[in-house]
């Protein structure tokens, strides 16, 4: 289950490249020989953008199936917000999508980015989580272990922070499903 979840997170994190490319190339639902004809261009673009949003929502639902964990009160030494740390990477992805001239080039570039994103920890930062009011933090424990937390909570005071309903994505990455 964990491996499939990580694949889904990776796809969600990188899928906006495909959306940007489809919009740039003006590939419309009308042109795909389907039942939806004579729609304005923006309807196609909204549909393309909704797919990654729906998949991100699905990944939040599936997270409930991951193994449970917790972090006790007094275990966290420091908190560092990570929301803005990944923004340059995603801007880079958009510039790549805007500069790719052909669909086969896009597939190749997407495959490379997918593999590198899957193998690195950046796959857990999906800017679409921000739509669902999730934030990203690096926490350093009293044992000097740095972990990555995805949570809806606003974290400020390390000494007063604890997590009772974490789900483990990997050894150093967790998602907090409390509301």
């Amino acid at each position: 289950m964990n491996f499939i979840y990580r694949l889904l997170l990776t796809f969600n994190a990188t899928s906006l490249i495909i959306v940007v490319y489809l919009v740039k190339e003006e590939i419309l639902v009308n042109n795909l020989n389907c039942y939806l004809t004579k729609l304005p261009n923006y309807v196609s673009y909204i549909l393309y953008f909704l797919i990654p949003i729906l998949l991100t929502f699905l990944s939040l639902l599936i997270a409930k199936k991951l193994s449970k964990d917790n972090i006790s009160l007094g275990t966290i030494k420091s908190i560092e917000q990570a929301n803005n740390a990944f923004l340059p990477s995603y801007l880079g992805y958009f510039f790549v999508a805007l500069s790719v001239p052909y669909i086969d080039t896009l597939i190749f570039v997407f495959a490379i980015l997918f593999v590198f994103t899957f193998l690195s920890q950046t796959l857990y930062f999906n800017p679409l989580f921000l739509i669902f009011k999730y934030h990203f933090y690096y926490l350093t424990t009293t044992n000097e272990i740095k972990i990555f937390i995805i949570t809806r909570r606003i974290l400020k005071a390390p000494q007063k922070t604890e997590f009772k309903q974490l789900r483990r994505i990997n050894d150093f990455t967790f998602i907090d499903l409390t509301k």
Side-chain angles (χ1 to χ4, degrees), residues 10 14 108-120 123:
T10 303
T14 56
F108 182 75
V109 168
F110 181 80
I112 290 171
L113 286 173
F114 186 91
V115 168
F116 287 151
T117 304
F118 182 80
L119 296 175
S120 71
L123 74 104

Side-chain angles (χ1 to χ4, degrees), residues 8 14 17 23 38 44 59-60 69 71 77 79-80 83 87 95 111 128 134 150-151 153 158 160 168 171 175:
L8 181 61
T14 56
I17 295 170
V23 171
K38 299 186 181 182
S44 294
S59 70
L60 292 170
D69 212 324
I71 297 176
K77 180 179 174 184
I79 298 172
E80 178 185 349
N83 283 0
L87 188 58
F95 290 126
L128 295 175
Y134 279 86
I150 304 167
T151 183
R153 296 167 44 192
K160 297 178 183 178
R168 179 181 291 274
D171 290 337
I175 186 165

Side-chain angles (χ1 to χ4, degrees), residues 14-80:
T14 56
S15 63
L16 291 177
I17 295 170
I18 297 169
V19 172
V20 170
Y21 180 83
L22 293 172
V23 171
K24 176 192 79 129
E25 292 297 316
E26 298 181 7
I27 298 172
L28 306 173
V29 173
N30 302 349
N31 300 342
L32 300 177
N33 293 329
C34 67
Y35 300 107
L36 304 171
T37 57
K38 299 186 181 182
L39 293 173
N41 293 4
Y42 70 87
V43 173
S44 294
Y45 305 152
I46 290 170
L47 287 173
Y48 297 151
F49 188 63
L50 283 176
I51 291 169
I53 291 173
L54 292 173
L55 289 173
T56 299
F57 179 72
L58 177 66
S59 70
L60 292 170
L61 294 177
I62 293 173
K64 295 175 184 175
K65 305 278 186 205
L66 297 173
S67 62
K68 296 178 182 179
D69 212 324
N70 63 53
I71 297 176
S72 304
L73 197 64
T75 309
I76 301 169
K77 180 179 174 184
S78 68
I79 298 172
E80 178 185 349

